[in-house]
Amino acid sequence: KWDNQIDDEIKNESTNYLATVSDLYRKKLIWADSIIDAITAKPFDFNEKDTIHFLGKKSETNYSTDEKKLIKRWTRLLKYQTLELLYTPTDKDKDPFSQDIKEVLKKEPEDRVKIASKNKRSIKKILEHADGYNNYMASLYINKLVSLYDPHSDFFSASEKQNFESSISTNALSFGFYFNENENGEIEIVQVTPGGSAWKSNQLHKGDIILKIKPERGSVIDLTSASADEAMDLMSSFNDNEAEFTIRKNNGQITNIVLIKSKVRSDENVVKSYILNGDKKIGYISLPSFYTELENKNPLGCANDVAKEIVKLQEENIEGLVLDLRYNGGGSVGEAIGLMGL
């Protein structure tokens, strides 16, 4: 019913459409959360014949107003995701397809819980977004509107702005540690950054397992069944500078640690140069991003660093230069212009 009204909404600076959609979406998310609990409360039956369709084009999406049909769709999706997880190779079981089906199905209760948690976390991430649910919905709406006028322009919320600035800065706000998923599917600390918040606390160490995170202005996020990518996504989604981490130490002790983000040197935004010795002596410079110092009025970013590396390479009497931008995701336009001047 809004098909011919959205342009009038924009012209009249009205947000009735956004308010209506946001309210409806919130209700449906809460409903979906309860449905996931109900569906995954009992084991899936993989003996019956069933089909799930993945539609290619968004225009083909068939939205249903029938609750029974929606529950069936959710059941099929959760069932499929559980089956997919059951047959995903792990460090312990590199080829689940070679196993007896009964052996594989022993993991069904555990994997069903993981899939339920994953979907519920996705819903919670929206309902309890760092910028607030209404601001999150407004950002989606504004970005869609902006993209219609200019595909190269974006609207940044407060947390998105902070994440973007960190991605193109030599110094990033961080809790001061790196993590990965271990062979047991747990989120394990693999490195503590010297000088960072975790390092200064002397309470977080390599090998510790992160069980939960409680942002300063949000509810507890359970990471016991999250992948490393999910955990990274969840941590970057809140822009709180303080958070409480529930940690399991090597000796099995559970402890809570409060950390405050601090500025640490970003290893990702570092220019590296080498000499390639072959038929000719060629200089090689890798530039991961057009990083800069956003907090300084006269920043010394990647253009200055590249200039230094070129001087070093020239002193080695190179005959040519390779500037590798293959993994460069962009960044500061000012630095890119400065780089062109070299």
Side-chain angles (χ1 to χ4, degrees):
K1 66 180 183 181
W2 289 92
D3 278 3
N4 299 313
Q5 294 181 43
I6 295 180
D7 54 340
D8 295 324
E9 282 265 302
I10 295 164
K11 284 166 69 178
N12 297 325
E13 298 182 9
S14 170
T15 56
N16 291 328
Y17 168 74
L18 176 61
T20 302
V21 170
S22 297
D23 184 54
L24 180 61
Y25 189 42
R26 188 202 298 269
K27 288 176 182 174
K28 289 297 182 182
L29 284 169
I30 294 169
W31 175 84
D33 187 79
S34 64
I35 288 300
I36 291 168
D37 284 332
I39 293 170
T40 56
K42 52 185 182 296
F44 287 120
D45 181 6
F46 295 111
N47 291 312
E48 59 185 7
K49 186 177 179 180
D50 213 342
T51 305
I52 185 168
H53 294 281
F54 292 96
L55 302 173
K57 297 176 183 176
K58 288 184 180 179
S59 58
E60 295 173 350
T61 306
N62 177 22
Y63 293 99
S64 178
T65 54
D66 186 331
E67 265 196 16
K68 288 183 179 178
K69 286 183 179 178
L70 282 173
I71 292 170
K72 281 185 178 179
R73 286 185 184 180
W74 266 110
T75 304
R76 288 190 187 116
L77 178 65
L78 294 165
K79 188 175 181 179
Y80 168 79
Q81 289 176 343
T82 303
L83 187 62
E84 187 178 42
L85 187 57
L86 283 168
Y87 280 92
T88 298
T90 63
D91 289 337
K92 288 183 179 179
D93 184 13
K94 298 190 184 300
D95 185 15
F97 287 93
S98 64
Q99 279 201 32
D100 181 74
I101 291 174
K102 289 181 180 178
E103 282 298 311
V104 175
L105 288 177
K106 285 181 180 178
K107 277 180 60 199
E108 192 271 347
E110 177 189 341
D111 285 358
R112 177 166 30 95
V113 169
K114 283 184 179 180
I115 291 301
S117 298
K118 181 180 178 181
N119 281 277
K120 285 170 71 68
R121 276 196 301 272
S122 297
I123 292 171
K124 188 175 183 179
K125 183 182 168 186
I126 298 171
L127 289 173
E128 299 181 8
H129 197 273
D131 298 321
Y133 172 78
N134 288 327
N135 287 335
Y136 166 73
M137 292 298 290
S139 289
L140 292 179
Y141 182 53
I142 294 168
N143 263 309
K144 179 53 66 176
L145 176 61
V146 168
S147 69
L148 293 173
Y149 290 95
D150 178 15
H152 304 290
S153 290
D154 291 290
F155 168 80
F156 281 170
S157 66
S159 60
E160 288 168 337
K161 178 176 179 287
Q162 187 184 75
N163 289 337
F164 174 74
E165 288 180 348
S166 291
S167 72
I168 63 166
S169 175
T170 51
N171 295 301
L173 275 173
S174 166
F175 289 114
F177 61 82
Y178 294 93
F179 58 81
N180 213 331
E181 191 175 343
N182 65 19
E183 60 182 19
N184 297 319
E186 299 166 319
I187 304 302
E188 181 180 334
I189 304 294
V190 294
Q191 182 185 336
V192 176
T193 308
S197 181
W199 184 81
K200 288 177 180 176
S201 76
N202 199 30
Q203 297 181 75
L204 198 68
H205 303 94
K206 183 179 178 181
D208 289 350
I209 305 298
I210 306 177
L211 303 176
K212 298 175 184 176
I213 305 173
K214 168 70 170 65
E216 187 180 10
R217 291 170 293 176
S219 58
V220 175
I221 301 169
D222 187 354
L223 296 181
T224 51
S225 59
S227 67
D229 288 341
E230 273 187 278
M232 184 71 73
D233 194 31
L234 287 164
M235 281 189 66
S236 63
S237 70
F238 63 82
N239 60 346
D240 300 50
N241 286 330
E242 184 178 309
E244 183 180 71
F245 296 84
T246 302
I247 305 295
R248 190 181 76 234
K249 310 296 285 185
N250 280 328
N251 61 5
Q253 180 187 356
I254 307 293
T255 183
N256 292 327
I257 302 166
V258 175
L259 296 177
I260 298 171
K261 283 181 180 177
S262 60
K263 283 189 177 180
V264 293
R265 175 78 179 176
S266 175
D267 292 332
E268 293 178 6
N269 288 331
V270 176
V271 168
K272 297 181 178 71
S273 69
Y274 307 94
I275 298 288
L276 305 176
N277 286 309
D279 296 334
K280 293 183 177 181
K281 190 181 270 191
I282 304 294
Y284 170 89
I285 296 176
S286 171
L287 182 60
S289 73
F290 295 109
Y291 59 84
T292 188
E293 296 175 332
L294 288 164
E295 62 273 17
N296 291 342
K297 288 184 179 179
N298 300 305
L300 293 175
C302 70
N304 182 69
D305 290 348
V306 169
K308 289 178 181 177
E309 297 304 317
I310 288 176
V311 170
K312 288 180 189 175
L313 292 170
Q314 282 179 326
E315 288 173 353
E316 297 291 332
N317 298 315
I318 58 169
E319 298 176 70
L321 177 67
V322 174
L323 182 59
D324 190 348
L325 302 174
R326 285 177 298 175
Y327 306 106
N328 188 312
S332 165
V333 174
E335 290 295 338
I337 292 169
L339 194 68
M340 292 292 286
L342 299 177

